[in-house]
Amino acid sequence: MADTKKLYIKTYGCQMNVYDSERMAEAMGGAGYETTDTPDNADMILLNTCHIREKAAEKVYSELGRFKGLKAEKPDLKIGVAGCVAQAEGEEIMRRQPIVDLVVGPQAYHRLPEMEAKTQDGAKALDTDFPEEDKFEKLKNRPKAKRGPTAFLTVQEGCDKFCAFCVVPYTRGAEVSRPVDRVLSEARDLVERGVREITLLGQNVNAYHGVSGGGDKTLAQLIWELDKIDGLERIRFTTSHPNDMMDDLIEAHGTCSKLMPYLHLPVQSGSNKILKRMNRNHDRESYLRLIERIREARPDILLSGDFIVGFPEETEADFQDTMNLIEEVKYGQAYSFKYSTRPGTPAAERPLVDDSEASDRLYRLQALVAQQQREIQDSMVGREIQVLFERAGRFDGQMVGKSEYLHAVHVADCSAAIGELAKVRIVKSGTNSLAGELL
Ligand code: SAH
Ligand code: SF4
Ligand code: F3S
């Protein structure tokens, strides 16, 4: 048998990239590669990149620069760039950094083994097509290795929303859903291999409409199908768009016991003027009404959001609208970003907010959400909740798992095994996690 080669993959960006990296590693397994956790002994380095903000995209070039020495020592080393920077910048990457042998966009991963073979002949390989065929169908099935208790499963890709600030519709292409049968068979396979919690992924996961027999199924219908799988204990999904939050999905939050009470529902801004300029196609009032309906269905649901501050022409009054929306909703988790100009997007041509003003707004917003997060976390103390244990902690006997609400929970002297779902009483709330006792 030929020597196994070593593949080092570094993943940036969202969970969909995490999932894609796993699948690329599996596809390359079929081409004689096994993964390694250091670039130093690798025969191939693959950066799975993110283009969402300028900083994320620039990181790729500094990382590539660091591999120059390795490539000089080991000329056979292959270096590839995958993901959203690959899609957005294509050939330009090889021009800017000649050590790159291969550039592959997020919809062409199933062609990776062929591309690698081409680089073995000394050629460069580039593929940023959006091919007709489904990359997941063509990627080799996951090998039967045992898995940890949680897994991501991509069910939908791409975005048709074209928010004025965002590159995703350009880097990932149009909204496409995977067929129901494919998703279910992959989920069953994951469960057979030890997975107890699946997070369904999509750039707009609640826009899911997968073919099933003659018709289509919505995300809620897909969740009800997954609910029937024995051994699968928990279902989550991310990321949702407010405009795709359909009635059956809201209802499922109240009625499907495997669907966890956590919802990431980005709003970006609380100002109607800014929402309009962002092309979000929803306003503040419709978002707040939606939250109210979701809480009626599942009163204890933990809400999470994304916010952009310093979007072009955002005034202090617009920012205050975002702050009072946050106060009204009360988020258990939030991700906030300073607006970053992305070439080719509609907002790129517009006048910027002063950078130090934008930084100051980000600081104030993060202080508010940190306070809300802490209050919600503190309110968990004394409660008895279910924890799915995922790994051993840093100290002897300590185990770490997740609550239904996605809080990290540490339990000392814990007899629970990895993959066990157990009842825990929360005794303490820390900065980013809870401490509990096994009951
Ligand atoms: N599909 C998801 C999220 C996509 S990107 C959604 O629509 O909610 C993740 C987050 O990055 C976005 O929610 C947004 O808050 C942030 N983001 C996207 N483009 C950005 C930009 N140009 N500058 C700053 N933040 C941005
Ligand atoms: Fe980007 Fe908007 Fe699509 Fe989300 S909905 S991926 S923010 S364009
Ligand atoms: Fe980044 Fe692409 Fe995900 S731009 S956030 S890796 S879809």
Side-chain angles (χ1 to χ4, degrees):
M1 202 182 105
D3 279 351
T4 315
K5 291 186 177 175
K6 293 213 169 355
L7 170 66
Y8 171 73
I9 304 189
K10 184 158 182 181
T11 308
Y12 303 84
C14 61
Q15 291 112 322
M16 305 200 54
N17 267 11
V18 175
Y19 177 84
D20 283 346
S21 289
E22 286 172 11
R23 302 303 305 268
M24 283 193 279
E26 288 160 7
M28 292 307 287
Y33 279 85
E34 66 181 28
T35 52
T36 167
D37 52 12
T38 161
D40 300 332
N41 64 1
D43 298 288
M44 182 172 182
I45 294 173
L46 206 51
L47 300 183
N48 193 6
T49 62
C50 173
H51 201 246
I52 202 82
R53 284 167 289 275
E54 188 182 356
K55 259 201 201 127
E58 280 306 311
K59 231 191 268 172
V60 177
Y61 290 102
S62 55
E63 188 74 33
L64 284 171
R66 289 179 39 212
F67 296 138
K68 263 187 174 163
L70 269 180
K71 179 93 169 176
E73 277 168 34
K74 197 171 171 184
D76 282 346
L77 170 67
K78 301 299 172 202
I79 297 182
V81 177
C84 292
V85 176
Q87 190 63 44
E89 299 188 5
E91 235 169 321
E92 177 62 23
I93 299 173
M94 290 174 177
R95 258 196 300 274
R96 253 182 92 174
Q97 190 43 273
I99 62 165
V100 174
D101 300 284
L102 177 162
V103 172
V104 58
Q107 303 309 338
Y109 293 154
H110 49 295
R111 297 176 177 169
L112 195 56
E114 288 161 42
M115 294 174 74
E116 186 269 348
K118 199 169 152 193
T119 64
Q120 292 301 340
D121 297 333
K124 300 235 176 206
L126 171 93
D127 195 335
T128 51
D129 284 355
F130 287 100
E132 282 291 310
E133 73 260 22
D134 175 353
K135 74 171 178 198
F136 297 114
E137 297 278 333
K138 303 277 172 186
L139 278 171
K140 275 189 182 302
N141 273 337
R142 288 163 179 255
K144 298 287 174 196
K146 195 98 183 105
R147 299 257 325 198
T150 63
F152 292 138
L153 202 177
T154 294
V155 300
Q156 182 276 341
E157 280 211 277
C159 181
D160 298 338
K161 304 283 190 292
F162 292 92
C163 298
F165 49 81
C166 184
V167 293
V168 171
Y170 312 97
T171 61
R172 294 276 172 163
E175 286 177 7
V176 179
S177 299
R178 296 178 68 196
V180 171
D181 286 352
R182 290 286 309 172
V183 174
L184 293 179
S185 69
E186 196 170 325
R188 280 189 211 103
D189 179 60
L190 287 168
V191 170
E192 268 168 35
R193 291 160 55 200
V195 170
R196 310 198 70 190
E197 171 181 310
I198 291 181
T199 302
L200 305 173
L201 299 181
Q203 264 95 20
N204 275 289
V205 72
N206 54 348
Y208 179 85
H209 53 95
V211 291
S212 169
D216 275 8
K217 280 202 192 314
T218 61
L219 184 66
Q221 289 167 328
L222 177 69
I223 289 168
W224 282 112
E225 291 296 322
L226 289 161
D227 181 70
K228 294 180 197 155
I229 299 178
D230 282 341
L232 178 62
E233 307 288 350
R234 289 177 159 189
I235 304 167
R236 304 181 186 275
F237 59 89
T238 198
T239 293
S240 302
H241 192 285
N243 293 357
D244 292 318
M245 208 59 214
M246 298 306 164
D247 291 351
D248 60 350
L249 189 56
I250 297 175
E251 202 185 308
H253 270 293
T255 50
C256 179
S257 58
K258 289 188 183 177
L259 184 59
M260 292 294 101
Y262 181 101
L263 180 65
H264 183 58
L265 197 64
V267 63
Q268 315 297 353
S269 168
S271 149
N272 280 337
K273 176 190 104 188
I274 295 296
L275 286 170
K276 207 169 176 83
R277 294 186 185 180
M278 285 178 164
N279 192 32
R280 287 288 293 181
N281 282 312
H282 61 76
D283 59 18
R284 171 194 176 92
E285 291 73 27
S286 60
Y287 181 80
L288 289 172
R289 259 199 316 276
L290 180 60
I291 298 285
E292 221 173 275
R293 287 177 51 220
I294 295 163
R295 283 193 165 136
E296 266 164 35
R298 180 80 203 220
D300 63 338
I301 199 161
L302 189 139
L303 290 163
S304 151
D306 287 348
F307 300 92
I308 295 179
V309 301
F311 186 77
E313 298 164 283
E314 182 190 69
T315 61
E316 176 63 25
D318 294 320
F319 173 67
Q320 284 308 325
D321 281 344
T322 303
M323 293 291 270
N324 56 46
L325 177 133
I326 294 172
E327 285 186 6
E328 206 168 325
V329 174
K330 295 201 170 36
Y331 290 92
Q333 177 73 265
Y335 304 88
S336 47
F337 314 96
K338 196 158 74 169
Y339 170 72
S340 168
T341 304
R342 307 311 293 127
T345 59
E349 307 302 322
R350 302 182 196 162
L352 289 173
V353 168
D354 174 73
D355 189 57
S356 62
E357 181 58 40
S359 298
D360 182 61
R361 287 178 196 166
L362 185 64
Y363 180 80
R364 285 184 279 157
L365 188 149
Q366 289 182 340
L368 176 61
V369 293
Q371 183 199 330
Q372 291 193 339
Q373 272 170 24
R374 193 58 199 253
E375 279 169 17
I376 291 179
Q377 233 186 258
D378 292 351
S379 74
M380 299 295 295
V381 176
R383 281 186 58 185
E384 290 177 8
I385 55 165
Q386 292 285 335
V387 172
L388 175 62
F389 287 99
E390 292 180 12
R391 60 182 172 86
R394 272 194 298 153
F395 308 107
D396 252 7
Q398 189 189 48
M399 293 285 288
V400 187
K402 293 272 165 57
S403 74
E404 294 100 312
Y405 310 98
L406 216 52
H407 289 120
V409 181
H410 296 253
V411 179
D413 299 324
C414 185
S415 58
I418 290 176
E420 198 174 319
L421 199 59
K423 208 169 206 186
V424 166
R425 182 185 299 112
I426 302 301
V427 293
K428 207 174 137 220
S429 162
T431 324
N432 280 313
S433 66
L434 298 167
E437 294 169 347
L438 202 61
L439 290 174

